[in-house]
Amino acid sequence: GLVAYLRRFVYEYLEPTTVNCTFELPESLPDKALNVEVRRNVYLVVREAMHNVVKHAVATKVFISMRMNEQGFRVMIRDDGKGFDHASPEFPGNGLINMKKRMNDIEGEFLIKSKTGEGTVIELIVPLK
């Protein structure tokens, strides 16, 4: 359910924009129910990431992939936008702080890699219990 919901949300969110999205999802998904807190936090992090792609990145393309294994799953969001230096004192980054906190709340990880002029890659690592 989460994968279908995220896909629908992203397409609807990006529809009025010029950003094209490509998904790479597994052929089959394990039949494991995620608790409400995990689903909610993953959704809110993806929503914030899409907001950043549209509002700040000046991206034309975003690529979203999901990988699964027995321990959990990993969501990667990569854009071709302008990137940024998140160590810069001029960069407030409250959205990124909130994204990291949400992943910590579900005992997951939030990784970000960005460089000015080279786009941004965000990874969410979610353990399954």
Side-chain angles (χ1 to χ4, degrees):
L2 176 64
V3 172
Y5 186 78
L6 288 177
R7 182 192 296 237
R8 186 172 55 247
F9 163 76
V10 169
Y11 280 134
E12 288 175 4
Y13 191 86
L14 295 177
E15 187 176 12
T17 74
T18 58
V19 179
N20 291 316
C21 182
T22 303
F23 279 93
E24 183 179 292
L25 302 171
E27 290 291 321
S28 63
L29 299 169
D31 193 19
K32 278 198 169 187
L34 298 174
N35 73 43
V36 173
E37 183 183 15
V38 170
R39 288 193 316 260
R40 181 176 185 277
N41 281 305
V42 169
Y43 162 74
L44 290 172
V45 171
V46 170
R47 186 175 82 174
E48 180 67 27
M50 290 301 99
H51 172 78
N52 291 344
V53 166
V54 171
K55 186 172 181 184
H56 303 294
V58 192
T60 59
K61 296 177 191 161
V62 64
F63 173 79
I64 301 173
S65 69
M66 179 180 276
R67 301 272 187 255
M68 308 208 56
N69 61 34
E70 293 77 33
Q71 291 80 35
F73 64 94
R74 178 183 300 249
V75 177
M76 187 207 39
I77 302 168
R78 181 180 73 227
D79 70 55
D80 68 346
K82 63 183 182 176
F84 63 94
D85 177 6
H86 52 83
S88 169
E90 296 139 24
F91 184 76
N94 285 334
L96 295 177
I97 292 167
N98 290 338
M99 293 163 87
K100 183 172 180 64
K101 181 188 178 314
R102 287 188 185 286
M103 292 307 298
N104 285 339
D105 288 348
I106 59 172
E107 299 177 15
E109 292 181 60
F110 175 78
L111 308 171
I112 186 163
K113 181 180 171 190
S114 188
K115 188 172 180 183
T116 303
E118 296 183 13
T120 301
V121 177
I122 290 173
E123 287 189 80
L124 316 177
I125 301 168
V126 182
L128 294 177
K129 296 177 182 180

